[in-house]
Amino acid sequence: MSRYIDGESRDQSTLFPQRLDEYIGDENPVRAVDVFVDELDLMEIGFKKAKPASTGRPAYHPATMLKIYIYGYLNRIQSSRRLERECHRNVELIWLTGKLSPDFKTIADFRKDNGPAIQKVCSHFVMLCRQLKLLSQGDIAIDGSRFKAVNNRDKNLTDRKLKSRLEHLERGIGRYLDEMDRVDRENDPHAPHRVANLERKIETIRSHMKKLDVLGEKLDAAPDRQVSLTDPDARSMATTGRGTGMVGYNVQTAVDSENHLIVCHDVTNAASDRKQLVKMARQARDVLGRKELTVLADRGYFSSREIYECEQDGIKTLVPKPMTSNSKAAGRFDKRDFRYDADADEYICPAGERAIHRMRRFEDGLDVDVYWSSACPKCPIKGQCTTSSYRRVRRWKNEAVIEHMLERLSRTPDASKIRRQTVEHPYATLKARMGATHFLMKRLPNVSTEMSLHVLAYNLTRVLNILGTTPLIQAMKA
């Protein structure tokens, strides 16, 4: 007798075959996907072919295609060709689609043609989370992360790259010309063949240089002085490693601090986070339906204008200020060593002298007041303060808003820790799901669609872990 667990024989017949539904357990997440899509009004959301055509060949229902994609991104299967294979062999997908198996072109076209509608589906699930009271009344953390695009670094050109490549090609032509001179001096019977080969190489290089000249004209016309050849919307962005970078997109997220659900997201090709704070904070506030909100972000988001606009909208911000003082780097006093007297509208310098208001200037789009003291030339500690005749202190007219924010930040010592453990967790999960790869689609609108599917799969996984499959299904049907 065998000491192993035996399986059923492949030749065994059954009197009453099992139903397909019996292969899917009650707690299987695929049941939640099925109910979620069935409860959506796909025509109102804007899916194409939600209303069947009266003539022609019948199309697949948008609900079927949407279920395939949500299941795929939920299980790290983003490729349309892989999804086609899974529709033939995966019992869960066979159950989900009712044994339908669209070809990969149909699957890919659905994602390409229904981008805005798919993004609305992601928003609908966030609203469902809000109805289930899963979005707390706590803080919201905002951050951005770089995601790789379908564009190799060699296919992205900047001024420096273009200049370097042209110099490299010019050196190549010089080497070949020197080689031709050397061949002419030698008494070699194969010289004509060698010269012809060198001439072909030189002509190839010159042809390549002409293409680079054309790309240089496009580079001059580009507003950010970049040209990407594979994905025109992708941009070169620096990463944390020194001397490294990638060609991709900057994905912004606002994450709830309690359940780590992504409240809203956005995809941009701006390399910096400096101008993203107001946009993301307002989106998060509108999604949550709250009049007041506290937002945490890292120092990459610090912008006086952005912080001021958030405060005017009732959004409290906690953003550290970057330490970029040239005076401090040189070992001299920086602005923090000057105390501002609001009643007298003047600064008290480290030597105890009064730096009074002198004038107002318009710098970098901001109204800036300038202060300095008449005692600067004879000050005994002037060498520790400035190398100029006078130490000028600049103050934005709404600087009080920034000071209040920094004071509030100092009273919240755990703000940085809360931000990191809140917003960096979803990014790690999203990138782990994507694997060592990149976005599968090109152009910013299509990449935004693909990111919405990733965010939807992430949020759905979180809610399933928090509530469980059956309670979530009951909540969606209620």
Side-chain angles (χ1 to χ4, degrees), residues 219-418:
L219 198 64
D220 293 335
D224 57 353
R225 308 287 297 174
Q226 281 194 49
V227 172
S228 294
L229 303 181
T230 307
D231 183 354
D233 291 341
R235 289 294 178 267
S236 179
M237 299 180 182
T239 54
T240 54
R242 178 176 295 180
T244 63
M246 69 168 62
V247 181
Y249 292 92
N250 185 359
V251 177
Q252 300 285 318
T253 58
V255 183
D256 171 67
S257 61
E258 181 177 340
N259 291 316
H260 295 188
L261 292 168
I262 299 177
V263 176
C264 60
H265 71 281
D266 188 38
V267 181
T268 176
N269 53 12
S272 172
D273 297 332
R274 193 77 65 190
K275 297 182 179 180
Q276 306 298 323
L277 183 63
V278 172
K279 178 176 65 175
M280 295 304 300
R282 286 175 176 170
Q283 286 185 27
R285 182 195 58 185
D286 294 341
V287 170
L288 296 173
R290 290 157 57 179
K291 294 182 179 180
E292 296 183 355
L293 186 68
T294 299
V295 169
L296 292 79
D298 62 25
R299 64 184 71 251
Y301 286 85
F302 189 92
S303 167
S304 298
R305 185 184 288 107
E306 295 269 314
I307 293 172
Y308 176 75
E309 289 186 25
C310 285
E311 297 287 341
Q312 292 298 105
D313 286 353
I315 301 173
K316 295 181 180 180
T317 56
L318 295 173
V319 185
K321 186 176 182 179
M323 301 303 173
T324 58
S325 172
N326 293 328
S327 297
K328 191 68 174 178
R332 296 190 296 269
F333 297 126
D334 69 353
K335 186 178 178 180
R336 292 175 298 170
D337 297 312
F338 291 74
R339 181 173 57 84
Y340 180 68
D341 186 345
D343 295 331
D345 188 23
E346 62 186 20
Y347 278 92
I348 307 300
C349 76
E353 299 291 342
R354 296 167 51 247
I356 63 174
H357 180 267
R358 302 287 183 171
M359 61 180 177
R360 173 168 288 188
R361 300 178 59 180
F362 191 71
E363 300 179 359
D364 297 328
L366 302 176
D367 291 322
V368 178
D369 295 320
V370 186
Y371 303 76
W372 70 81
S373 172
S374 300
C376 283
K378 299 180 180 180
C379 181
I381 58 172
K382 180 175 178 292
Q384 302 177 43
C385 190
T386 182
T387 57
S388 303
S389 300
Y390 295 91
R391 174 60 186 266
R392 290 171 169 81
V393 182
R394 287 168 170 77
R395 179 182 178 84
W396 181 39
K397 69 175 184 177
N398 296 313
E399 188 82 17
V401 174
I402 308 301
E403 293 173 346
H404 292 158
M405 185 275 294
L406 294 175
E407 182 182 354
R408 185 167 59 243
L409 180 62
S410 66
R411 296 195 305 266
T412 315
D414 293 336
S416 178
K417 178 181 178 181
I418 294 172

Side-chain angles (χ1 to χ4, degrees), residues 24 37 39 48 56 71 74-76 106 165 186 219 222 225 232 242 312 336 341 377 401 417 437 449 455:
I24 308 299
V37 176
E39 293 296 319
K48 295 181 179 180
Y71 178 85
L74 198 62
N75 292 275
R76 308 183 188 186
T106 303
R165 292 186 186 183
E186 296 175 355
L219 198 64
R225 308 287 297 174
R242 178 176 295 180
Q312 292 298 105
R336 292 175 298 170
D341 186 345
V401 174
K417 178 181 178 181
T437 182
T449 300
V455 171

Side-chain angles (χ1 to χ4, degrees), residues 136-163:
S136 70
Q137 296 297 313
D139 301 334
I140 296 296
I142 294 175
D143 201 1
S145 185
R146 280 62 172 164
F147 284 72
K148 191 176 179 182
V150 191
N151 202 107
N152 190 277
R153 292 180 66 182
D154 291 339
K155 295 293 184 179
N156 172 267
L157 287 178
T158 61
D159 288 328
R160 187 174 63 179
K161 285 183 181 179
L162 183 64
K163 182 180 178 181

Side-chain angles (χ1 to χ4, degrees), residues 29-40:
V30 74
R31 291 189 179 274
V33 175
D34 185 58
V35 173
F36 172 65
V37 176
D38 288 343
E39 293 296 319
L40 294 173

